[in-house]
Every structure is written in C-alpha cells, then in structure tokens.
C-alpha cells in the first residue's frame, strides 16, 4: 500500500455545540481546521445550529476563547488562510433570522445536513464534531 492509501481525502468539521455563549469552546475547532489545511488536506467547516451566529459580522471578533490576545474571528481567518472552506447551514441561518443577512467574507458556501452527511458517508473523509 502506498501512503496515499492511508491518507484521508479530507476533513469535514461540524460545529454544533460551538456557540457564541460558550467562547471557551470556540478556538479549538478552528485550530484543528487550520492544522489539517496546513497539511494540504481539503477542510470543510459546517456551521449549524447556534454556531451560524459566529458568521455574523462582529460576533466572533468580540469573542475570546481564553486570555490569549487572538479573537475567535482571528482563529477563523487563520483556518481560511490555510485553505479551510466555511459552509453555513441554510436552515440554521433561517432559524436564527440570518437567512438574508450579510455574513463574514470567509463564509463562501451554503450547506448543511445533506452535504455533511455525504462527507460522513464517504469512507475517504474524516469527520469531527465540536
């Protein structure tokens, strides 16, 4: 077997319990996304449930996971800079009154349960849930 046979085709990260009300949980998913992307793996981050609120301009920039001077938005931008792609769940956007709202520029796609489950069902992809 070659090394390619042992390498994931990509990483899909689902943000479910990562919400603005719990900023101490918010940096880790983006650090993992940045690390995987830095390893040249495709990385998709799916914002669902209350995590879509992080996509509102100004929300993540005002949140800090610790005493570290980086905001949650800084961690998000770092993940995107390394190649991660952000997906906003259309249903979650609707549920939180954000369906027509302008989102942060780092969020370039829409996708939710169907797209994430397609990745979860693909044995070549790995999934993480935060």
């Amino acid at each position: 077997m070659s090394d390619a046979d042992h390498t994931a085709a990509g990483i899909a990260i689902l943000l479910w319990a990562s919400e603005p009300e719990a900023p101490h949980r918010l940096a880790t998913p983006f650090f993992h996304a940045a690390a995987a992307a830095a390893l040249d793996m495709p990385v998709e981050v799916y914002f669902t449930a209350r995590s879509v609120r992080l996509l509102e301009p100004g929300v993540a920039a005002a949140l800090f996971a610790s005493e570290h001077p980086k905001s949650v938005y800084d961690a998000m931008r770092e993940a995107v800079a390394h190649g991660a792609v952000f997906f906003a769940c259309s249903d979650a956007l609707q549920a939180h009154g954000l369906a027509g709202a302008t989102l942060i520029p780092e969020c370039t796609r829409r996708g939710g349960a169907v797209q994430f489950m397609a990745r979860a069902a693909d044995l070549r992809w790995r999934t993480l849930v935060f």
Side-chain angles (χ1 to χ4, degrees), residues 3-123:
D3 285 342
D5 295 330
H6 298 288
T7 303
I11 305 292
I13 298 173
L14 179 70
L15 300 181
W16 176 71
S18 299
E19 54 198 26
E21 294 78 13
H24 61 283
R25 288 189 237 154
L26 296 179
T28 301
F30 302 110
F31 291 154
H32 281 80
L39 292 171
D40 293 325
M41 286 187 217
V43 176
E44 298 174 351
V45 180
Y46 292 85
F47 292 76
T48 187
R50 295 171 65 91
S51 73
V52 295
R53 294 184 48 232
L54 297 172
L55 301 173
E56 289 182 78
V59 172
L63 298 172
F64 295 84
S66 68
E67 298 300 317
H68 196 278
K70 276 188 179 180
S71 71
V72 171
Y73 186 54
D74 291 332
M76 293 168 70
R77 289 180 28 199
E78 187 173 302
V80 170
H82 283 291
V85 178
F86 289 175
F87 287 77
C89 175
S90 298
D91 289 339
L93 290 172
Q94 180 73 34
H96 294 284
L98 300 172
T102 299
L103 303 178
I104 60 171
E106 292 78 11
C107 183
T108 58
R109 310 254 175 96
R110 297 291 186 271
V114 172
Q115 291 80 7
F116 182 78
M117 291 312 296
R119 292 302 191 206
D122 185 336
L123 297 178

